[in-house]
Structure formats: C-alpha cells, structure tokens
Amino acid sequence: MFSSKASIMRLRGLVRKEFLQILRDPSSIAIAFVMPVVLLLLFGYGVTLDAKHVPVALVVEQPSVETASFVSGFHKSTYFIPLSMTNRQAAEHAMMAGMVDGIVVLRADFASLLTRSQGSPIQVIVNGVDANKGRLVLGYVQGVLGNWLQQQAQLTGRELKLPVQLQQRIWFNSELRSRDYLVPGLIVVIMTLIGALLTALVMAREWERGTMEALIVTPVAMWEVLLGKLIPYYLLGMGSMLLSVIMALWLFEVPLRGSPWLLLITSSLFLLVALGMGLLISILAKNQFVAGMMAIITTFLPAFILSGFIFDIGSMPGIVQMVTYLIPARYFVAILQTEFLAGDVWAVILPNSAALLLMAIFFLGLSRLKSHKRLE
C-alpha cells in the first residue's frame, strides 16, 4: 500500500491537514510543551523522598569532650536541626508536641564506657508516624555515628569498633539523591498522560464537528486516516520527551549514563503505546470530554500508582503485582531509570522494550480494528 503514489499523496495531505489543525488550535502544543514543564517543575521540586533539616533533641546527661565532639556531628550535618535538651523527659514532651522528630540520648557514663569491650550505648528514639522518614532519620544518625568513630580513631589512635562493621558501597546513585531516582519516573508518568491526551481528542473531535462524515466519503483508507492523525502527534510527543530529558539533565542534574540513541528508540516505543491508547480511547468515546476523562483515569492514575515510580512493586500484594504487568509505564520506568542511572544494561532494556513493542502493536492494531469507515 505504501508503494502507491496516490496513497502517499493522500497521507501527506492528511498529515498537513492535522498540522494546520494543531496550529489553529494550539491546545495540543500547550499539552505537548507547557504541561511537561509545569508538571516536572511541580513534581520535581515538590516530590522528594529525602529528609532534610529534621529537628532532633540531643540529651547529654554528663557533658564531656567526647560528647561534645559527638554532638558537633549533628550541628555540621545538613540533615538535622539539633536542639539541646536538659533531660529525657523534656525531649519526650517535645516529641509528643511535634517539635522534634527524634531523640538522641548520651548517658552519663558515655565517655567512661567508650574504651570497654561492651562499648557505650546511645539511645535513639524516632517518630515512626511517617515510617519512611523514621527510617531515614535512623540512617542519618548511624551516618553521624560512623563519621564520629572514624574521627576518634584518627585523633586518638585507638579504634572504637562497633559490634559489626559494615563496608558499604552504593552503586548507580552514590549520593542517594531521591531526585535522581524520581525524575526519570516522573518523565514516564508525564509522557503517559501527554501521549494519551494528544490523541484521545483527535478522532472524537472529528465526530463532534461532523467532519468525520466528510472523511468517510473521500477515497482515503481508514489506516491512512489513523496514520495521518498519529504522525503529527508522534512528532509533538517526541519534542515533549526531548524537552523533559533536557530539564532532567540541566535543571535537576540527573546523570544520563546510557546511550542517547537507545533512549530515543525506547522513548519512541513507549510513545507509540501511549498514542495508541489515546487513539483507541478517542475511537471508542467519540466525545472530547469523555475521551479526556477516560485518558486521565486509564493512563495517568495507573501509571502514577502501579508503575513502580514511587511505590515498590515487589512490596505490593501478589494480585496487584500481576495487574502491574498490564501497565505500559511499568516497563518504561525500568528502562528510563536504568538508562539514566546505570547505563545500557541490556538485561533490563531488551525484555522491557519487547513488552512495549507488543503493547504498541496491540493498541494500534485494536485501534484499526475498532475504526470503521461507515456511520453507525
């Protein structure tokens, strides 16, 4: 069919018509280029899994040189706002009143027990209402303790050992910046919404304005109509993707360790899935408002909750984990986080890309089957 000169001319005319439609109604341009900027700024700066400037009560029952050097670690850290308390009861009242999120208690015998084999206990109490924040605070306190032990070993020449010594190395995100992990996932969620919204309105708009009847009586084939709708919005979507990646690199300083060409190919696959979903919704709904609502409910919300972007899929119940295999964003989140933080890891990219390819064929094929060149 592509070899037919007439077919190519008709397709070219349909693409030109769609581009003119986009220029006359710039809402599609706003969806493609304004929405990702606004959403990335909003989520990129607003959503973080880090905990900084956490108020912590420090209770030192017997001040000494050792306790002073240990407490100074909290004052130097950007994660804490240390508040000195006179006793444990005052610290607990502060915790109950919500003034602090953690309590660190150094007992009166802290200095004298340091050199003994059993060590010197440090009590840490953390507000566990926000479980994630509680775990982060515990980790930060352990970090302060580890740094202090190293300093003491250098200054005194004697090593103060913990019962177990961990030699830890963190791969791919050595600073543990949650933004490096979240921004690639955000791009996926945003591109899911934008891709679906761009095409969710195109066929419904033709039906609402009555121009679909005019298309039906022309010699154009239905696949030419669909392709004529798809090509302009694919180019818009790729422009939106490029803008999102540039923002991730330059504004949020997320490293891109994978190949840009591989990123382009996998992004194209995912965009075809999102555009195919939007096209199918548009064909079924035949109403712009209904199509828009369906696009948001069936693409954005599942991508946000079930893609693994924020919530760990492995921690979900088994039945919910099975449902996540039906969410295209799940596969692209794995690809994009790998591309940005780890590089071209084929063991991750190939199976997820294959899943996206199958989904693109499914949604575009179903769109063709559901579109008929007749009035119903």
Side-chain angles (χ1 to χ4, degrees):
M1 284 189 287
F2 266 114
S3 60
S4 167
K5 188 177 178 182
S7 177
I8 293 175
M9 287 179 65
R10 287 196 298 269
L11 182 58
R12 191 187 304 162
L14 287 169
V15 170
R16 183 170 178 273
K17 166 190 169 295
E18 202 59 39
F19 270 122
L20 290 174
Q21 178 64 42
I22 291 170
L23 292 176
R24 283 198 201 102
D25 181 8
S27 60
S28 297
I29 298 174
I31 290 174
F33 295 108
V34 178
M35 189 180 283
V37 172
V38 173
L39 291 179
L40 264 176
L41 289 175
L42 190 66
F43 284 106
Y45 284 115
V47 179
T48 177
L49 299 181
D50 298 330
K52 285 194 173 182
H53 311 300
V54 180
V56 173
L58 299 178
V59 180
V60 180
E61 294 181 348
Q62 181 66 50
S64 64
V65 176
E66 289 80 5
T67 58
S69 66
F70 180 76
V71 167
S72 68
F74 286 88
H75 289 277
K76 293 174 184 173
S77 171
T78 58
Y79 296 114
F80 297 111
I81 300 176
L83 303 172
S84 296
M85 299 279 173
T86 53
N87 54 54
R88 190 190 300 258
Q89 288 72 26
E92 289 175 355
H93 283 305
M95 175 88 90
M96 294 294 290
M99 295 169 59
V100 297
D101 289 319
I103 301 171
V104 178
V105 181
L106 302 183
R107 288 177 16 176
D109 53 1
F110 175 78
S112 61
L113 292 178
L114 271 177
T115 54
R116 299 188 184 178
S117 58
Q118 69 269 29
S120 183
I122 299 171
Q123 186 177 28
V124 181
I125 304 170
V126 173
N127 184 349
V129 172
D130 183 342
N132 181 61
K133 189 175 182 180
R135 282 191 290 268
L136 289 173
V137 173
L138 273 177
Y140 296 158
V141 172
Q142 288 174 351
V144 171
L145 174 61
N147 290 335
W148 180 75
L149 289 174
Q150 285 183 355
Q151 289 173 2
Q152 287 297 303
Q154 291 172 355
L155 290 174
T156 62
R158 69 174 189 272
E159 193 170 359
L160 304 175
K161 290 186 177 179
L162 292 172
V164 176
Q165 281 192 320
L166 293 178
Q167 292 184 343
Q168 57 185 18
R169 293 176 61 194
I170 300 166
W171 286 13
F172 310 132
N173 185 6
S174 57
E175 296 179 6
L176 290 177
R177 286 203 328 155
S178 66
R179 192 165 288 162
D180 288 0
Y181 169 78
L182 289 176
V183 168
L186 273 175
I187 293 175
V188 177
V189 173
I190 292 168
M191 289 311 301
T192 305
L193 178 63
I194 289 172
L197 272 181
L198 282 175
T199 47
L201 307 179
V202 290
M203 295 297 281
R205 186 170 53 216
E206 298 282 2
W207 283 108
E208 277 192 353
R209 293 179 180 175
T211 50
M212 182 56 80
E213 287 85 346
L215 275 175
I216 288 174
V217 297
T218 63
V220 295
M222 205 62 213
W223 69 268
E224 292 170 344
V225 175
L226 295 179
L227 210 53
K229 299 287 184 191
L230 206 59
I231 291 172
Y233 294 103
Y234 168 79
L235 295 175
L236 271 184
M238 288 306 291
S240 176
M241 182 72 194
L242 178 64
L243 180 64
S244 300
V245 171
I246 289 173
M247 287 181 69
L249 294 176
W250 298 104
L251 189 62
F252 297 109
E253 299 179 341
V254 181
L256 176 61
R257 300 193 171 103
S259 161
W261 293 109
L262 193 59
L263 181 65
L264 177 70
I265 294 169
T266 51
S267 300
S268 295
L269 277 177
F270 179 71
L271 195 58
L272 285 176
V273 178
L275 292 173
M277 291 170 70
L279 204 57
L280 182 62
I281 290 170
S282 188
I283 290 167
L284 296 175
K286 296 183 179 178
N287 178 289
Q288 290 191 74
F289 177 76
V290 174
M293 290 298 101
M294 284 177 67
I296 293 172
I297 293 170
T298 60
T299 60
F300 180 72
L301 293 180
F304 196 88
I305 298 170
L306 300 176
S307 66
F309 148 60
I310 288 184
F311 307 109
D312 179 36
I313 293 176
S315 304
M316 296 176 184
I319 183 100
V320 180
Q321 288 188 37
M322 296 297 290
V323 173
T324 63
Y325 286 104
L326 302 176
I327 309 299
R330 171 198 170 119
Y331 305 102
F332 197 43
V333 165
I335 291 173
L336 219 53
Q337 286 177 342
T338 304
E339 277 285 295
F340 270 97
L341 298 179
D344 300 337
V345 182
W346 296 105
V348 176
I349 291 168
L350 285 180
N352 287 292
S353 298
L356 288 180
L357 178 62
L358 290 176
M359 285 189 161
I361 293 171
F362 173 78
F363 283 114
L364 293 174
L366 196 57
S367 298
R368 174 63 190 91
L369 287 175
K370 289 293 181 183
S371 54
H372 306 288
K373 204 177 175 190
R374 65 173 183 267
L375 295 174
E376 295 177 349

